[in-house]
Amino acid sequence: MVDMKGTQLIHEYLRHNKKFPHVFCAGCGHGIVLGSLIRSIHGLGLSKDEVCVVAGIGCSGRLAAYVDFNTVHTTHGRALTFATGIKMAKPNMHVIVVMGDGDSMAIGGNHLIHAARRNIGVTALILNNNIYGMTGGQCSPTTPAGSFSMTTPLGQMEQSFDCVELCSAAKANYVARGTVFHVKKLDKMIMDGISNPGFGVVEILTPCHTQYGRKNKYRTPVDMYKMLKKDVIDIDRYEKLSEADKAKKVPSGVFVQKDDSGLEEKFYQMAAKCQGGA
Amino acid sequence: MARPRKKRNKEIFALGNEAVVEGALLAGCTFYGGYPITPSSEIMEIMAQRLPLIPNGSFIQMEDEIAGLGSVIGASLAGRKAMTATSGPGFSLMQEHLGYGCITETPLVIVNVMRGGPSTGLPTSPAQGDVQQARWGTHGDHSIIVLSASNVQECLDNTIEAFNLAEKYRTPVILLIDEITAHTREKIIIPNPDEYEVFNRIVPTMPPEWYKPYEETVRGVPPMPAIGSGYRFHVTGLTHDTNGFPTSRPDEVRELNERLFRKIDQFLHDVQLVDEVDTEDADVVVIAYGTVARSAELAVKQARDLGVKAGLLKLSTLFPYPRKATEKIMSKAHTLVVPEMNMGQMSREVKRVNNGQVSVRTINKVDGQIITPAEILKVLTRV
């Protein structure tokens, strides 16, 4: 592993034939996730050819185009299905899926719970900004009750999904929640998620001041990052809070960590037995 | 005295659906992803048994048809020959990914065992109602190759053909069969490996830094490396430039869309497969496909016995519609008869090509029953 710092390292992994600038707004958290993803892959010592980044639709979906890996920008909500096919076909590849909250839990909710259930050895990064950003600021399954969006002008009246609880209940191997404010911890979570043999989920809280913030009194990126700093606390500290205080905070950290082997490993072991191997 | 052993092809007694599996495996298919649906389920069930026995073979039952085709595209991008099978309602769910397969130029095979519709319709009755869905089901302009099969042997042969065309032209290929052919059991011949051609996709040979994934070539079909083989590039369903990156520049958009059509249209002689029976001197020619073509073949024979100069043009390729073959028979025949188990999905194409030159008669049936030879014969003797 070459020792490189900061942007020097990031540049090593960006595509130089891609037409920059990127699509993200100034202050968007997605660029921080991209940096974190690159540091994690570099930290694990993986070669560029061993990594496949699969992305869905929306702002998060554009992330794949910028990095010099095998990259697939798929259809809305279905990134996990493509990733499943790639992982089954190439079990030695590290397949990392980048999805938004609408991508993963609305249109792709079915694929998310089933990828977790079958424990396919894919890592899902869920970039949760509580809103449909690229589509123009409509509510998503994680828009908190009471908050405003283009399609909830009277305030969200539905309950929102808790990605961590959803994926834990669906039996994912590794479930963690981090934020783009707590970057060192996020790097570690993504590394652990990629190293995990089964289905790993890292929910990443990333702000969208352009669409979510402007409707909900967080007009600038700084307001949004301050909120992440104030509201998101470590799971250990969260557990010690009273029920009333818990309602105001969001726990972060590693919630599930098992080391069950991934579906593809089980399949090929069984197939080898059928073919008369060991 | 021992007789000299003659080397024979293997003969088996198989369902149409089983023959599809045999054909796929002969063509080199090593991945199946899908969701079971009547009347296509046997294809999936047999794949689940057979694929684990093949080195590198893999099988997965996904949570729905959308996921099924998604996994097939993923596996194909990763270098596998991959397929799925479904029936009407499942095929509808696959349409978005079919379009994705077209624009990303991903070779794959979808077998649609047609059942009666619309909607849940008649789950185990035959129909030919998905012909235009196969052509135009997904959004946007695109070229597509659609094949059909009229008997169990053709299920095997045309599945091999479907894989070959998919690999050769980097495109999704749809094989439409109807419930009768899928569930008919017949003797078929499994060919020896030297008796059929297997086409594998062309992989790039230039250094990775020179490779442009969507660059124009002589054939119009760019070489395609597998994910993880050292050629790193971007695959997207967005309209892209020759590097694979999203673009909305009119010249780049036009170039891509036109090439997607051109790469198939300039090889029509290779993709338009038809069979002709007694058409040389025919006054009246039946144009048919699928199980109905078998009824038509018998009807043509019976009509000949009655002194009617009848012939049959059997379509193995439905799209791109075999225009040349139709024009050739139109130059001699005065009437075309198009029997179909739908309200006239293929006769639209025939009428479009015919453009009022000769008389076109249609026989349409949508009651979940096959069109019998007698029904076709009745029309042949009256025209």
Side-chain angles (χ1 to χ4, degrees):
Chain A
M1 202 194 321
V2 193
D3 190 32
M4 280 182 286
K5 289 264 187 292
T7 51
Q8 198 191 353
L9 172 71
I10 305 289
H11 285 169
E12 189 62 28
Y13 286 87
L14 291 182
R15 278 189 164 131
H16 299 291
N17 57 349
K18 173 78 186 83
K19 295 171 224 163
F20 280 89
H22 53 69
V23 298
F24 305 130
C25 305
C28 175
H30 286 12
I32 302 175
V33 178
L34 184 61
S36 194
L37 175 63
I38 287 173
R39 282 190 298 275
S40 306
I41 289 167
H42 184 76
L44 288 168
L46 305 177
S47 84
K48 289 178 179 176
D49 285 319
E50 282 178 284
V51 176
C52 182
V53 179
V54 183
I57 294 289
C59 299
S60 62
R62 296 303 182 97
L63 201 136
Y66 305 119
V67 276
D68 189 19
F69 301 114
N70 302 278
T71 54
V72 188
H73 179 222
T74 66
T75 49
H76 188 35
R78 321 295 179 195
L80 279 170
T81 71
F82 290 72
T84 301
I86 294 167
K87 186 70 182 178
M88 286 301 284
K90 285 258 161 96
N92 295 327
M93 296 280 296
H94 292 272
V95 182
I96 300 163
V97 179
V98 181
M99 295 179 287
D101 41 322
D103 225 358
S104 60
M105 280 173 275
I107 185 167
N110 195 26
H111 308 308
L112 180 65
I113 56 175
H114 285 283
R117 174 186 64 78
R118 64 169 63 101
N119 203 28
I120 183 86
V122 163
T123 313
L125 307 185
I126 297 180
L127 278 55
N128 183 0
N129 55 15
N130 306 115
I131 201 86
Y132 287 147
M134 193 173 266
T135 328
Q138 300 83 0
C139 77
S140 89
T142 59
T143 303
S147 57
F148 298 94
S149 74
M150 295 300 282
T151 48
T152 53
L154 308 175
Q156 173 62 291
M157 284 168 240
E158 300 169 5
Q159 302 176 60
S160 61
F161 261 141
D162 183 323
C163 179
V164 164
E165 283 181 18
L166 183 72
C167 295
S168 305
K171 301 200 170 80
N173 235 18
Y174 178 85
V175 182
R177 178 188 283 135
T179 84
V180 292
F181 185 81
H182 308 87
V183 177
K184 290 268 179 207
K185 284 182 191 164
L186 182 61
D187 288 5
K188 175 81 169 57
M189 285 173 193
I190 297 177
M191 279 172 84
D192 289 351
I194 296 173
S195 321
N196 192 287
F199 187 64
V201 182
V202 184
E203 183 193 5
I204 304 166
L205 304 180
T206 163
C208 177
H209 67 281
T210 309
Q211 300 293 7
Y212 184 79
R214 78 187 161 100
K215 289 263 176 189
N216 294 284
K217 295 182 182 158
Y218 301 100
R219 284 198 166 270
T220 68
V222 177
D223 295 337
M224 304 275 321
Y225 285 92
K226 277 183 179 163
M227 177 181 68
L228 286 180
K229 186 187 175 188
K230 186 166 84 46
D231 289 353
V232 183
I233 60 170
D234 234 41
I235 176 81
D236 305 332
R237 276 175 61 204
Y238 181 84
E239 291 297 338
K240 290 174 193 140
L241 296 178
S242 68
E243 288 304 316
D245 287 339
K246 273 184 183 173
K248 295 177 206 149
K249 301 286 181 189
V250 180
S252 78
V254 179
F255 295 81
V256 178
Q257 189 156 24
K258 298 181 279 187
D259 58 357
D260 297 351
S261 51
L263 172 73
E264 69 290 345
E265 203 182 319
K266 285 184 192 167
F267 179 89
Y268 282 105
Q269 275 176 4
M270 186 59 82
K273 267 188 201 166
C274 297
Q275 291 163 27
Chain B
M1 192 175 71
R3 283 188 299 182
R5 277 179 69 181
K6 194 181 162 200
K7 196 182 167 197
R8 287 183 64 185
N9 293 318
K10 198 173 148 201
E11 285 176 0
I12 60 166
F13 195 53
L15 279 180
N17 280 343
E18 285 179 71
V20 167
V21 175
E22 296 297 339
L25 297 178
L26 292 176
C29 172
T30 56
F31 183 90
Y32 185 100
Y35 190 77
I37 179 170
T38 311
S40 73
S41 300
E42 291 89 359
I43 297 176
M44 184 166 194
E45 290 162 8
I46 301 164
M47 278 293 191
Q49 295 165 13
R50 297 285 295 275
L51 279 171
L53 303 176
I54 300 174
N56 240 349
S58 47
F59 169 91
I60 190 164
Q61 176 168 335
M62 296 298 284
E63 54 272 17
D64 56 31
E65 284 90 347
I66 301 170
L69 189 51
S71 71
V72 165
I73 295 173
S76 182
L77 291 172
R80 298 289 194 87
K81 287 192 183 182
M83 75 173 287
T84 190
T86 189
S87 183
F91 190 53
S92 297
L93 291 182
M94 288 178 181
Q95 292 296 344
E96 186 191 12
H97 280 172
L98 181 57
Y100 185 91
C102 289
I103 199 167
T104 59
E105 301 178 64
T106 307
L108 57 94
V109 173
I110 303 172
V111 179
N112 176 4
V113 182
M114 291 181 284
R115 63 191 222 179
S119 190
T120 323
L122 297 163
T124 46
S125 295
Q128 295 177 318
D130 300 345
V131 172
Q132 291 291 349
Q133 187 188 193
R135 178 64 192 90
W136 292 115
T138 190
H139 57 284
D141 276 328
H142 60 93
S143 59
I144 194 95
I145 299 174
V146 182
L147 306 182
S148 72
S150 67
N151 57 45
V152 178
Q153 183 70 48
E154 279 183 13
C155 284
L156 185 147
D157 298 344
N158 290 359
T159 303
I160 297 176
E161 195 61 53
F163 272 96
N164 285 346
L165 294 176
E167 295 286 317
K168 206 184 278 183
Y169 298 105
R170 275 189 72 176
T171 186
V173 174
I174 297 157
L175 176 63
L176 292 180
I177 53 182
D178 51 71
E179 190 271 340
I180 295 176
T181 304
H183 284 162
T184 297
R185 206 173 269 283
E186 287 182 302
K187 187 178 85 174
I188 59 165
I189 295 167
I190 296 186
N192 285 317
D194 55 345
E195 288 173 2
Y196 60 93
E197 182 202 16
V198 168
F199 196 96
N200 297 317
R201 72 188 68 167
I202 292 168
V203 294
T205 49
M206 68 279 272
E209 59 273 21
W210 293 3
Y211 175 65
K212 283 191 165 196
Y214 296 97
E215 200 173 25
E216 176 73 291
T217 63
V218 179
R219 287 170 58 240
V221 185
M224 182 182 183
I227 283 176
S229 63
Y231 293 84
R232 296 184 300 275
F233 64 100
H234 190 54
V235 178
T236 177
L238 289 166
T239 304
H240 40 264
D241 59 18
T242 52
N243 280 313
F245 296 123
T247 181
S248 50
R249 246 177 60 184
D251 58 331
E252 290 177 339
V253 173
R254 190 176 58 241
E255 192 179 295
L256 173 72
N257 283 323
E258 288 181 355
R259 183 173 59 76
L260 291 181
F261 274 91
R262 190 169 63 243
K263 71 174 180 177
I264 292 174
D265 290 351
Q266 67 181 346
F267 293 101
L268 288 180
H269 60 278
D270 188 41
V271 294
Q272 293 178 334
L273 310 166
V274 295
D275 284 312
E276 292 182 40
V277 181
D278 292 340
T279 51
E280 300 78 30
D281 61 337
D283 295 328
V284 48
V285 176
V286 186
I287 300 180
Y289 54 97
T291 313
V292 176
R294 298 183 84 169
S295 294
E297 198 167 347
L298 183 58
V300 164
K301 195 164 164 278
Q302 289 169 343
R304 285 263 166 188
D305 292 343
L306 296 171
V308 179
K309 282 187 177 175
L312 169 69
L313 176 67
K314 184 169 82 177
L315 308 177
S316 273
T317 301
L318 303 187
F319 295 103
Y321 180 77
R323 184 185 191 104
K324 278 228 169 98
T326 310
E327 282 171 342
K328 202 182 89 196
I329 57 165
M330 268 162 44
S331 63
K332 283 166 269 175
H334 60 67
T335 304
L336 303 175
V337 178
V338 190
E340 298 179 272
M341 290 187 279
N342 60 46
M343 291 304 283
Q345 297 194 17
M346 208 60 198
S347 60
R348 292 172 75 100
E349 301 298 319
V350 175
K351 285 172 182 168
R352 183 174 61 82
V353 171
N354 177 47
N355 201 13
Q357 295 174 62
V358 301
S359 163
V360 177
R361 293 284 301 270
T362 62
I363 304 172
N364 303 110
K365 202 168 174 182
V366 284
D367 59 358
Q369 302 293 312
I370 190 176
I371 298 174
T372 60
E375 286 169 303
I376 300 171
L377 182 65
K378 204 162 87 184
V379 176
L380 290 181
T381 50
R382 282 186 190 171
V383 292

